[in-house]
Amino acid sequence: MFQKKFIPISNSTFRQTEWTQSTSPQPATGLLIDQFSRQLSDLRISVTDRCNFRCTYCMPKEVFTKDYPYLAQTELLTFEEIVRIAKIFIRHGVTKIRLTGGEPLLRKNIEDLVSMLSQLRTVGGHKIDLAMTTNGALLARKARTLKEAGLDRITVSLDALDDTIFKQMNDVDFPVSTVLEGIQSAQEAGFSPLKINMVVKRGSNHQEIIPITRYFKDQPHILRFIEFMDVGNSNEWAQNQVLPSAEIMQILADAGMPLMALKAQNPNDTATRWRHLNAQGEIGFISSVSQAFCHSCSRIRLSTQGKAYTCLFASGGHDLRSLIRDPQYENDDQKLSQTIRQIWESRIDRYSAIRHENQTLIQHPDRKKIEMSYIGG
Ligand code: SF4
């Protein structure tokens, strides 16, 4: 039987990471390396700043009221503009694109954008790896058309199985059954495995860890636990509301669901991979607070309004929309490419690593972070 002990969630390379700025010359190819030798490979595109949920850890309804200054339609990048910018990022080494929001399925004709992006090829000639993160509310209706449009993978946020707790987390009284139907429809449409993301907030939904693990442990889908993060400025984050991944793993072991480590599929994946010892299911842990993974962060985010953000916890972004709407650059992508190169090559972001080293460094009251609902998770 299993010893009661805490299992370190990863080999904590994090602690061994020496944050020395790279001196090596930039590659001649289009590939981009930042100041900490991290190569750009992932582009996350937020296609709307609106959502039909008001998850307390992302878009609390006290802040995101109906009078909140959401973006006007004219401020949003058009699909053609998104594709133009995506092509330049691909030339600079992006191989994976994730569509986010707000809630991406709220963007009208989103399938058209999926179809346009799914035509794109990486520098190596491969189909771009096209994924989407959704809250699943509209998934049952959209799954098949998304698949036909060329979407490769879907991640569904599911913060509880219990309907009452689920409604408390989304704070709009939305039933869990509809999201579970959406997951079923996506699987029937050919999306498998899906990734199922549960944000764990101690005192709000931690009691759902065991039921949701039992529910998915014999399914092909990958359940991932995400530590509650201090994203944006509105979710009233506190360290004591974070349930570290190592504790979640102990809760599972104590409930007779011990896990064993699996090899990372990608060195810059955000989740560590585990599988059940006594079942087929895979489990992931995204431990931005207790085990920061900034040392391998290869992600850049494009907001709905066309600003590039080099970190989820950034305070400011780089305006690309004015560049592509400037008549003098109408048919000239050189300027856009140079701008993207400068943005990434001068990048020094490592917010979570700093948070881990010394929280006081990041808790300056005037430091306003971009809202997650604006740039996607
Ligand atoms: S905190 Fe910023 S730099 Fe670190 S992993 Fe997250 S997005 Fe990347």
Side-chain angles (χ1 to χ4, degrees), residues 9 12 32 68 98 115-116 123 209 212 236 346:
I9 194 85
S12 56
L32 303 180
Y68 184 86
R98 177 172 293 279
S115 170
M116 293 158 80
V123 173
I209 291 168
I212 207 168
E236 299 176 347
S346 58

Side-chain angles (χ1 to χ4, degrees), residues 97-276:
I97 291 179
R98 177 172 293 279
L99 298 176
T100 66
E103 169 48 40
L105 295 182
L106 284 177
R107 180 83 187 248
K108 205 160 167 257
N109 304 325
I110 184 72
E111 296 88 349
D112 297 347
L113 176 62
V114 169
S115 170
M116 293 158 80
L117 290 170
S118 73
Q119 313 301 316
L120 304 182
R121 293 290 174 269
T122 66
V123 173
H126 304 289
K127 180 184 177 307
I128 204 79
D129 175 8
L130 190 55
M132 178 185 284
T133 303
T134 170
N135 63 21
L138 302 171
L139 190 52
R141 273 185 261 160
K142 297 259 183 183
R144 198 156 291 286
T145 49
L146 290 169
K147 188 70 185 172
E148 286 156 9
L151 189 67
D152 300 304
R153 299 181 294 113
I154 290 182
T155 299
V156 181
S157 307
L158 183 71
D159 298 322
L161 270 187
D162 175 90
D163 198 45
T164 308
I165 299 173
F166 185 73
K167 286 176 176 173
Q168 284 162 356
M169 294 300 285
N170 67 54
D171 217 5
V172 292
D173 223 27
F174 195 90
V176 71
S177 54
T178 308
V179 176
L180 294 174
E181 279 161 29
I183 291 171
Q184 186 58 35
S185 307
Q187 184 176 346
E188 285 160 10
F191 290 105
S192 189
L194 280 86
K195 289 179 176 167
I196 311 294
N197 283 0
M198 176 182 175
V199 172
V200 179
K201 200 174 164 186
R202 194 197 292 270
S204 298
N205 65 339
H206 67 272
Q207 63 277 42
E208 285 293 285
I209 291 168
I210 293 173
I212 207 168
T213 306
R214 289 218 164 97
Y215 182 86
F216 283 106
K217 78 179 176 55
D218 295 308
Q219 296 196 36
H221 307 311
I222 302 169
L223 175 62
R224 290 128 51 98
F225 295 107
I226 303 180
E227 291 178 347
F228 175 39
M229 294 180 281
D230 51 335
V231 288
N233 316 290
S234 317
N235 67 7
E236 299 176 347
W237 182 84
Q239 182 77 42
N240 62 11
Q241 294 169 310
V242 176
L243 190 60
S245 299
E247 280 188 51
I248 297 176
M249 186 170 289
Q250 194 61 50
I251 290 169
L252 296 179
D254 293 347
M257 293 184 280
L259 304 178
M260 61 179 278
L262 292 173
K263 269 210 182 66
Q265 275 165 335
N266 233 321
N268 46 31
D269 276 350
T270 54
T272 57
R273 298 178 63 223
W274 302 75
R275 57 157 292 225
H276 287 275

Side-chain angles (χ1 to χ4, degrees), residues 293-294 297 299 301 311-313 347 349-352:
F293 35 80
C294 302
C297 181
R299 292 168 290 283
R301 291 168 171 83
C311 177
L312 176 58
F313 302 90
R347 179 185 184 236
D349 299 273
R350 57 189 194 95
Y351 177 93
S352 291

